[in-house]
DNA sequence: CTGAAAGCGCTAACAC
DNA sequence: GTGTTAGCGCTTTCAG
């Protein structure tokens, strides 16, 4: 099927291109009769405007780039859903890029992004992408960071205050008399792990205590489980805070296999929970991160930047909520 | 930063646009000296070709559209990863679209796809989307379907033979003397459930037996778990085959809560397992669907279609592999 | 080997 | 209200 262009429509409707253009862009100056005429021609020919040509003429593509870490869809999925739902409302398309830590070269991805002339880019980022962000910033392209605080001229962010979440949690437990609280590393999201540790440290310091219970996972272990199953042969804590629910599950399984009773002897809490938590026994006590909102809000922020709306808050902090389940005692 | 165009480069290098164009497209006719000269200008100015303008001139965008069902990233994630890895190799971009059954209007998404002028579209589809596929076919745009067999003029598919997988499995169990095999519905993927049932039915028929052990999940139940926890109060099977591992987990949990011993009294197997299966106890015996390959192969097929390579097989069947774990006895 | 010029499909002044 | 026309940035004949 030969692609039909605006010329074909113009000829069919006996008007000029300009008029057709006006009709498809909903300009109000067109006389109703001719507008109808053009509409008919459009449907008759099955004409669909060429977004590429529009993009070239308008210098905007109504497409945004989304960059996410590879293989992490379990916890990025909801973000994407939220983002796409909002994008759809505003008629934006989304170009998806993934990056792999240690493999993807910042330069390469920036290259692709810039060439594709997206109107903006949303990055679900770890600290590792600082490079890309700096380079993109140099091109003056609007950026929204998810999960990382920060802002700038054409940079906004939507994040969850991890530090505060963990700090408040630790403060509560310290209040219960608990002193042995450990934070488990997450090699897939080192930054989040770092923030959790910071929260714990702050809470302890506020109570005049010292904290250095960060459990590092050495690189040689292929999975969290591999490591913790060994770790809990010789360790035990009153409370272990993990990043993802899958890690918390690994902790629970490993601890139990080593005879540690959950939650009686050791409690486990995670920061990010996915729908799998509901299928798992015991259900992990967790924070619910509003992932969907994270995506939806960042896309909305992006549209504001692109439409030059006044942005009241360039750093949007979303709330988390703690839900006690089966891996914590109920004090 | 003002965007630098091919003109700027041409001026800087004291050549014509045509020459610059030749250089960036690697044409071999350019004299090495001028080519170097142009290269220098390009790096000096930080020039990056405008893919939109190229798209308009070449009538191709090196972008493909990917359509997946919303909210299903747990089992689509690997597909996307595979697809993007291959796309990256061939320098294709991927535009992501999600559809929600019953909500997204097929017409609307086709509209968006066509307007965006992608070179081809890959659809991870259930039978539901026949409409969209037909409409797209009408526009003569190359299509690759994932998970659904079928082919046509500009249509290829990459799939797993679910029927065969389940048929073989059932045949084996029938050989063990097992007769009470049930297949659990999946409301999120009715088609897959249907194919599983077909496989079971075929196996039984091949053995001169009748089969009608399909467990339908009524719509009023909000989750598989809600339903099965009730179901297993009054039912028990020798083997239950579920589609997703999360469903299998629900079955295991529900059965146990009703005093049914797994795997001694009832075995459970699922078709699709995600990485969560490894964090769960008991580990579900399952087929491993080569999701990554599903994505990677479809993208490779797509590049072949787009590059007009000879395609030997328009319907590519990938292999599954059964892995016995803790929810099956080892016969 | 390189340059001039037409065209890809559309928008947006500027005329009329 | 509608038409004319000059771009948007790039590729690609066709000359030279």
């Amino acid at each position: 099927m030969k692609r039909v262009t605006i010329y074909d429509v113009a000829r069919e409707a006996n008007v000029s291109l300009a008029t057709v253009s006006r009709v498809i862009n909903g300009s109000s100056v067109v006389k109703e009769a001719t507008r109808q005429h053009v509409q008919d021609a459009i449907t008759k020919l099955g004409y669909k405007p060429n977004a590429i040509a529009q993009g070239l003429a308008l210098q905007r593509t109504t497409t945004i780039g989304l960059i996410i870490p590879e293989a992490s869809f379990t916890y990025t999925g909801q973000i994407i859903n939220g983002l796409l739902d909002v994008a759809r409302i505003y008629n934006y398309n989304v170009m998806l890029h993934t990056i792999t830590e240690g493999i993807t070269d910042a330069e390469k991805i920036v290259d692709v992004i810039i060439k594709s002339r997206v109107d903006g880019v949303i990055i679900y980022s770890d600290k590792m992408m600082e490079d890309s962000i700096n380079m993109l910033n140099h091109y003056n392209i609007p950026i929204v960071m998810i999960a990382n605080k920060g802002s700038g001229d054409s940079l906004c962010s939507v994040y969850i205050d991890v530090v505060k979440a963990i700090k408040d949690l630790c403060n509560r437990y310290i209040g219960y008399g608990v002193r042995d609280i450990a934070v488990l590393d997450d090699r897939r999201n080192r930054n989040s792990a770092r923030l959790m540790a910071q929260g714990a440290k702050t809470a302890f310091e506020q109570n005049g205590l010292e904290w250095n219970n960060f459990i590092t996972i050495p690189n040689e272990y292929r999975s969290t489980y591999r490591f913790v199953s060994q770790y809990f042969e010789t360790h035990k804590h009153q409370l272990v805070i993990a990043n993802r629910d899958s890690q918390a599950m690994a902790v629970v399984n490993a601890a139990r296999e080593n005879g540690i009773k959950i939650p009686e002897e050791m409690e486990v809490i995670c920061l990010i929970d996915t729908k799998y938590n509901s299928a798992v026994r015991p259900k992990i006590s967790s924070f619910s991160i509003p992932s969907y909102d994270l995506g939806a809000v960042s896309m909305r922020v992006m549209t504001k930047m692109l439409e030059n709306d006044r942005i009241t808050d360039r750093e949007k902090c979303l709330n988390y909520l703690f839900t006690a389940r089966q891996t914590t005692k109920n004090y």
Side-chain angles (χ1 to χ4, degrees), chain A residues 85-309:
Chain A
D85 282 351
V86 174
R88 203 176 0 250
I89 293 171
Y90 289 91
N91 287 314
Y92 275 93
N93 284 124
V94 174
M95 208 102 112
L96 182 63
H97 301 276
T98 52
I99 49 162
T100 316
E101 188 174 353
I103 299 204
T104 316
D105 166 25
E107 193 124 12
K108 178 75 196 295
I109 188 136
V110 170
D111 192 65
V112 173
I113 292 274
I114 295 300
K115 282 184 183 164
S116 70
R117 292 312 197 259
V118 291
D119 296 337
V121 7
I122 298 182
I123 307 185
Y124 175 60
S125 97
D126 214 319
K127 265 283 178 285
M128 69 185 242
M129 294 182 55
E130 229 169 315
D131 283 357
S132 322
I133 294 178
N134 288 336
M135 296 176 64
L136 283 172
N137 237 328
H138 179 247
Y139 283 95
N140 223 330
I141 183 172
I143 301 175
V144 175
M145 287 193 301
I146 302 183
N148 240 319
K149 197 174 159 162
S151 60
D153 206 25
S154 56
L155 175 66
C156 291
S157 58
V158 180
Y159 69 103
I160 307 274
D161 198 336
V162 175
V163 178
K164 183 166 179 299
I166 302 299
K167 196 186 67 192
D168 292 353
L169 179 76
C170 289
N171 264 321
R172 222 176 67 226
Y173 270 83
I174 292 171
Y176 299 150
V178 173
R179 290 292 175 274
D180 183 6
I181 302 179
V183 169
L184 179 64
D185 191 10
D186 183 353
R187 288 176 303 181
R188 282 260 264 310
N189 200 333
R190 282 250 139 88
N191 192 46
S192 178
R194 204 175 52 73
L195 295 175
M196 293 198 303
Q198 194 184 318
K201 199 176 176 67
T202 311
F204 275 79
E205 280 170 0
Q206 287 179 346
N207 288 274
L209 300 165
E210 211 179 302
W211 183 84
N212 54 351
N213 247 336
F214 186 71
I215 310 174
T216 308
I217 304 177
N219 280 323
E220 57 266 36
Y221 290 87
R222 269 198 27 229
S223 69
T224 301
Y225 175 72
R226 294 277 173 94
F227 170 70
V228 290
S229 74
Q230 206 166 310
Y231 180 84
F232 286 111
E233 284 175 6
T234 51
H235 294 75
K236 185 156 91 176
H237 299 281
Q238 289 179 281
L239 170 63
V240 174
I241 308 175
N243 189 36
R244 290 168 283 143
D245 55 1
S246 55
Q247 291 189 288
M249 289 178 222
V251 168
V252 169
N253 290 327
R256 287 187 165 175
E257 281 154 17
N258 283 297
I260 302 173
K261 288 208 176 65
I262 311 279
E264 296 80 2
E265 299 179 60
M266 184 167 99
E267 299 180 67
V268 179
I269 290 174
C270 69
L271 192 62
I272 297 173
D273 83 328
T274 66
K275 63 177 178 150
Y276 274 84
N277 199 358
S278 59
V280 141
R281 295 297 177 281
K283 295 187 180 184
I284 313 291
S285 299
S286 73
F287 288 92
S288 23
I289 300 262
S291 316
Y292 181 92
D293 293 344
L294 227 40
V297 171
S298 13
M299 187 62 214
R300 201 155 296 151
V301 169
M302 177 56 78
T303 60
K304 281 194 179 170
M305 293 179 85
L306 297 179
E307 251 109 82
N308 276 317
D309 279 11

